[in-house]
Amino acid sequence: MTAITRGAPEGPAILEARELSIGFTLRGRRLAAVRRADLSLRQGETLAIVGESGSGKSVLAKSFLGMLDKNGRVESGSIMFQGQDLARYTSEKEWLAIRGKRIAMIFQDPMTALNPLKTVGEQIREAAALHRGLDRAASRHAVLETLARVGIGESELRYRQYPHEFSGGMRQRAVIAAAVACKPEVLICDEPTTALDVTVQAQILDLIKSLQADLGMSVLFITHDLGVVASVADRVAVMYSGQVIEEGRVDEVFYDPRCPYTWALLASLPQLGVRGEDLYSIKGTPPSAFKTIVGDAFAPRNPGALKVDFEYEPPVFQVSPSHWARTWLLDPRAPAIEAPETVRRLRERMKRRESGASAASGGGGLA
Amino acid sequence: MGSYILKRLGQSLVTVVIVVVSVFMLLRLMPNSGYFTREDYVNMDQAARTAYLRNLGVLDNPFVQLAHFAGGLMKGDLGRSISLYPRSPVSSIIAEKAPYSLCFGLASIIISMSLGLGLGVLMARHKDGFADWMGTLYVTVVRAIPSLIWLFFIQLWISGLMGWPMIFYLDRPVSWILPTISFSLAGLGWYAIWLRRFMVDEENRDYVKFATSKGLPRTRVMRGHILRNAMVVLVQYFPQQILLTIAGSLLIESLYNIPGMGGLLVSAVRQQDNPIVQTIVLLYAVLGVLGVFLGDLLMAFVDPRIKLADCSGKGA
């Protein structure tokens, strides 16, 4: 097993989900949206959650703010945030001490996230005034500063404008301003660039990165764009049908993935395709969240699935101190199954980069 | 903005003219015998009938009559009633009746708006809860059961129960209560159901999610975002509802014997009292068009996305 040991000691977890299960009741049937998911967001880092639609990533993130829809609830497990278990919170009062103040969230579509009938400034101010206990003048001043900070020029004028007078990118900046106005410890970004122009995406990502550095925030980044992951995240968690199946540093997960699902996800990246060959795509569909899943949820779609994959759910195997995966392939008794060609090529690429880097710095590298 | 208002006023004027002229012309298609009471018709000979009709002016060319009506209108003369209140000026008939309808109408609007909107908020806040259920039940009952039935019920039972008079007396305020309540009930349900509906619509919007994620308490999200935005949709209907209260209610006014506007149009049409019909049509058309126009202005006032501009403005 090639374990990669590199880099600084990891910081303590600021937000940690353990064995978290979230279910919804839909027309009398129970839907398991998140199944015993483990996730840890560390102080000051950016953790990306990737996974296809319906894998439960947004639900997981919403549970950190107590914003599940009415028919959904945390069924078991814990969400530890600075010594408190958010999974036990039941009243709105408890959540108000966290929501927007210590954990803030920005949403996918900036075109609809702002109230069209209120001025942008007022929408940022109402949060700032509430959480920081500022009066109207002071909070207004703070908002003007925040607007300037997120790159909205002419902030006096922009403060008085309505959302329809803002472009998409500017609206997302305003949304970010509202989210960070109270200097939260954790910022959850739910696909913040999906709805934006490609040209604006990079600007927004840069803005989030620089705000993170300024405010020392930890960022949880939900996306299905692996390109975005590579450019913003320190670590990545891969979700499949309600479960986190692999978590590690970006280089570890991208260049040394261990789960067949992660392989498949990476192999289907258009950037990794070879000219003239068909692009890889994952066959089949994810299992229904209404059904009880036995064994490895990905097994039915995995051509190389082991017999055990259909019977027992794989436990967590530690690949390195910073990298773990849920797959029977990591069990010592498992046959040696190679990652697909595309993924191996990724690994080769990294090896070359690593050897170049170690030659230059004279240390670290591959063990 | 100024030019927009002028343009809209111009359009409104055209609408009113079309409505009034069409009704005016249609009235001239009615058979002349309608201008007589049964016994007058029998008692008069042909010459007397012709003389009577000539005297009324209904034998002239309809366009001449129209010009005559328009000319009178310019001088503030709406003509005189033919058969309903023979020889009385139409303006004084309306001036006498309208205040009753207007007073009951405005009082009931105040009641139905405040209670109805309050009920709507309550229903939206506790959607699928007890309040919502009771509110829906109320609205369904009020709308599904013909109003005559529950209006009768209110008049007979409640007046008996409370010992209040069964009909309206100008000098006994206690007799004003039941008609006012009767006037309010349907409107109350209307406001409640529409506000609830718009609030539920708004509640599912993304900006509500975002406002919640900012940490605003639910009451503040409800008041500052959901209610506010839902009212914007509703507010455009307020001016016409207020203005058209002048029309009164045929049913309620006849039940309680209120001398309001309610039955005036119907009886005037039935008795072929042209001057009254013309005037009322003119009045309702003006108020209706004005109501829509004011509603649009109000809408532009409360919704920043709406700009009052001519078509030359940017399409948003």
Side-chain angles (χ1 to χ4, degrees):
Chain A
M1 197 182 300
T2 51
I4 302 167
T5 50
R6 186 185 60 173
E10 249 89 35
I14 184 169
L15 184 64
E16 189 163 32
R18 290 235 172 154
E19 295 269 302
L20 189 66
S21 293
I22 299 170
F24 290 86
T25 312
L26 220 62
R27 288 181 219 100
R29 292 165 79 195
R30 179 182 169 275
L31 180 150
V34 173
R35 302 180 300 127
R36 297 181 310 287
D38 296 298
L39 189 80
S40 68
L41 175 67
R42 295 180 181 146
Q43 189 84 52
E45 75 165 357
T46 301
L47 171 68
I49 305 182
V50 296
E52 58 199 289
S53 307
S55 59
K57 35 188 209 308
S58 286
V59 170
L60 184 62
K62 275 191 198 159
S63 74
F64 298 156
L65 279 174
M67 281 182 58
L68 295 174
D69 290 337
K70 270 191 198 133
N71 57 343
R73 62 184 192 91
V74 172
E75 291 170 340
S76 61
S78 64
I79 305 168
M80 297 306 294
F81 174 66
Q82 307 284 55
Q84 291 172 55
D85 185 0
L86 304 185
R88 290 167 184 275
Y89 279 16
T90 47
S91 71
E92 189 194 26
K93 198 163 163 260
E94 289 171 301
W95 278 113
L96 290 182
I98 300 285
R99 207 185 276 162
K101 191 175 188 181
R102 302 182 66 190
I103 304 179
M105 184 159 179
I106 58 181
F107 294 92
Q108 182 173 349
D109 192 353
M111 304 312 272
T112 55
L114 293 168
N115 185 337
L117 304 182
K118 289 186 111 169
T119 62
V120 170
E122 188 52 34
Q123 295 188 55
I124 305 173
R125 200 193 66 78
E126 63 184 356
L130 184 72
H131 296 307
R132 290 163 66 181
L134 300 173
D135 64 19
R136 187 166 275 274
S139 57
R140 188 185 140 84
H141 187 72
V143 170
L144 290 175
E145 269 177 13
T146 315
L147 283 175
R149 175 65 193 84
V150 298
I152 297 179
E154 294 180 281
S155 47
E156 286 274 357
L157 169 71
R158 292 303 213 167
Y159 186 98
R160 279 178 279 121
Q161 284 186 327
Y162 290 92
H164 70 275
E165 296 169 274
F166 277 53
S167 67
M170 279 296 165
R171 282 192 213 187
Q172 193 60 299
R173 285 174 195 271
V175 166
I176 292 171
V180 301
C182 310
K183 304 190 164 54
E185 293 149 69
V186 173
L187 180 65
I188 299 173
C189 307
D190 190 353
E191 310 209 21
T193 58
T194 311
L196 297 176
D197 272 352
V198 192
T199 46
V200 183
Q201 284 185 5
Q203 295 173 12
I204 296 295
L205 293 179
D206 284 344
L207 174 63
I208 293 173
K209 270 195 270 187
S210 84
L211 285 169
Q212 178 183 22
D214 278 9
L215 303 173
M217 293 183 298
S218 312
V219 175
L220 187 62
F221 213 100
I222 299 168
T223 182
H224 50 236
D225 184 342
L226 293 173
V228 168
V229 175
S231 71
V232 298
D234 301 308
R235 293 193 315 120
V236 58
V238 182
M239 279 191 85
Y240 185 75
S241 69
Q243 205 159 47
V244 178
I245 52 147
E246 189 158 1
E247 186 183 305
R249 286 200 313 265
V250 170
D251 54 317
E252 292 170 324
V253 174
F254 274 25
Y255 300 128
D256 186 26
R258 294 311 179 102
C259 283
Y261 177 68
T262 318
W263 293 345
L265 202 62
L266 289 169
S268 45
L269 269 180
Q271 295 94 311
L272 300 184
V274 175
R275 186 179 291 270
E277 279 177 24
D278 282 349
L279 193 59
Y280 179 82
S281 67
I282 307 175
K283 306 286 176 294
T285 50
S288 160
F290 285 114
K291 291 195 180 120
T292 311
I293 291 168
V294 179
D296 186 333
F298 187 59
R301 301 172 76 186
N302 177 10
L306 307 173
K307 188 162 174 280
V308 65
D309 281 334
F310 292 96
E311 285 161 14
Y312 299 100
E313 187 180 273
V316 167
F317 290 97
Q318 208 71 37
V319 181
S320 80
S322 55
H323 181 191
W324 59 260
R326 272 179 187 270
T327 169
W328 282 117
L329 292 181
L330 289 172
D331 190 278
R333 291 163 290 178
I337 289 182
E338 264 296 315
E341 173 63 26
T342 343
V343 176
R344 282 209 302 278
R345 277 205 296 274
L346 261 176
R347 201 179 296 180
E348 293 306 315
R349 195 186 295 180
M350 187 207 59
K351 264 186 194 159
R352 278 201 301 280
R353 220 184 57 177
E354 281 290 324
S355 54
S358 55
S361 66
L366 226 52
Chain B
M1 170 119 179
S3 69
Y4 172 83
I5 292 180
L6 280 180
K7 192 176 158 190
R8 279 295 303 270
L9 284 175
Q11 288 171 345
S12 307
L13 190 68
V14 171
T15 312
V16 169
V17 168
I18 291 175
V19 170
V20 171
V21 169
S22 335
V23 171
F24 191 95
M25 289 303 171
L26 285 172
L27 285 172
R28 309 300 139 174
L29 296 177
M30 301 282 276
N32 282 339
S33 58
Y35 296 112
F36 299 91
T37 60
R38 193 175 188 76
E39 50 194 273
D40 276 354
Y41 190 80
V42 173
N43 292 339
M44 287 182 191
D45 60 14
Q46 192 60 41
R49 285 179 200 152
T50 313
Y52 175 72
L53 290 176
R54 177 146 297 135
N55 192 31
L56 284 179
V58 295
L59 292 182
D60 298 341
N61 180 312
F63 291 98
V64 175
Q65 294 184 44
L66 182 64
H68 195 72
F69 174 65
L73 201 60
M74 290 303 150
K75 287 180 276 173
D77 176 15
L78 294 163
R80 287 168 183 272
S81 164
I82 299 174
S83 44
L84 212 49
Y85 303 90
R87 315 292 313 148
S88 306
V90 174
S91 49
S92 66
I93 296 170
I94 290 183
E96 198 179 290
K97 288 180 159 294
Y100 291 100
S101 295
L102 213 51
C103 289
F104 275 112
L106 292 181
S108 81
I109 279 219
I110 292 170
I111 292 172
S112 58
M113 225 187 242
S114 47
L115 294 182
L117 295 179
L119 178 63
V121 171
L122 207 64
M123 287 166 77
R125 247 206 105 154
H126 306 285
K127 185 173 167 269
D128 300 328
F130 182 72
D132 191 18
W133 201 83
M134 291 307 286
T136 309
L137 183 71
Y138 168 76
V139 174
T140 312
V141 165
V142 163
R143 307 226 104 185
I145 298 178
S147 55
L148 188 60
I149 294 175
W150 48 262
L151 287 176
F152 250 131
F153 176 85
I154 290 172
Q155 190 184 28
L156 293 174
W157 281 71
I158 314 247
S159 66
L161 203 67
M162 304 299 293
W164 290 338
M166 266 176 61
I167 56 166
F168 167 79
Y169 300 99
L170 186 55
D171 54 351
R172 290 180 64 189
V174 73
S175 71
W176 305 350
I177 298 175
L178 289 181
T180 309
I181 292 176
S182 303
F183 265 108
S184 312
L185 290 179
L188 196 158
W190 189 90
Y191 288 116
I193 209 73
W194 284 104
L195 182 62
R196 174 198 180 274
R197 182 247 144 114
F198 289 130
M199 282 184 77
V200 169
D201 275 0
E202 293 298 320
E203 194 167 359
N204 293 319
R205 298 207 195 271
D206 282 356
Y207 73 81
V208 172
K209 240 194 301 172
F210 182 62
T212 308
S213 83
K214 286 189 293 193
L216 297 182
R218 182 159 161 78
T219 45
R220 274 193 61 179
V221 177
M222 270 283 168
R223 190 156 29 88
H225 288 271
I226 298 177
L227 176 60
R228 213 188 116 139
N229 289 26
M231 283 301 286
V232 165
V233 193
L234 221 49
V235 95
Q236 60 171 317
Y237 301 107
F238 291 175
Q240 31 177 326
Q241 282 173 338
I242 293 171
L243 288 177
L244 288 177
T245 54
I246 200 173
S249 156
L250 170 61
L251 211 54
I252 298 171
E253 288 179 1
S254 49
L255 274 180
Y256 289 93
N257 209 13
I258 300 169
M261 298 278 286
L264 192 57
L265 181 59
V266 177
S267 8
V269 169
R270 197 179 292 144
Q271 303 209 16
Q272 219 166 306
D273 198 334
N274 293 350
I276 293 186
V277 177
Q278 283 153 209
T279 305
I280 293 182
V281 167
L282 174 69
L283 181 68
Y284 290 177
V286 167
L287 292 179
V289 169
L290 191 67
V292 172
F293 174 56
L294 289 179
D296 287 351
L297 286 188
L298 203 57
M299 188 79 169
F301 181 70
V302 293
D303 188 335
R305 288 168 300 181
I306 298 175
K307 280 224 168 51
L308 296 180
D310 294 311
C311 304
S312 56
K314 277 194 301 186

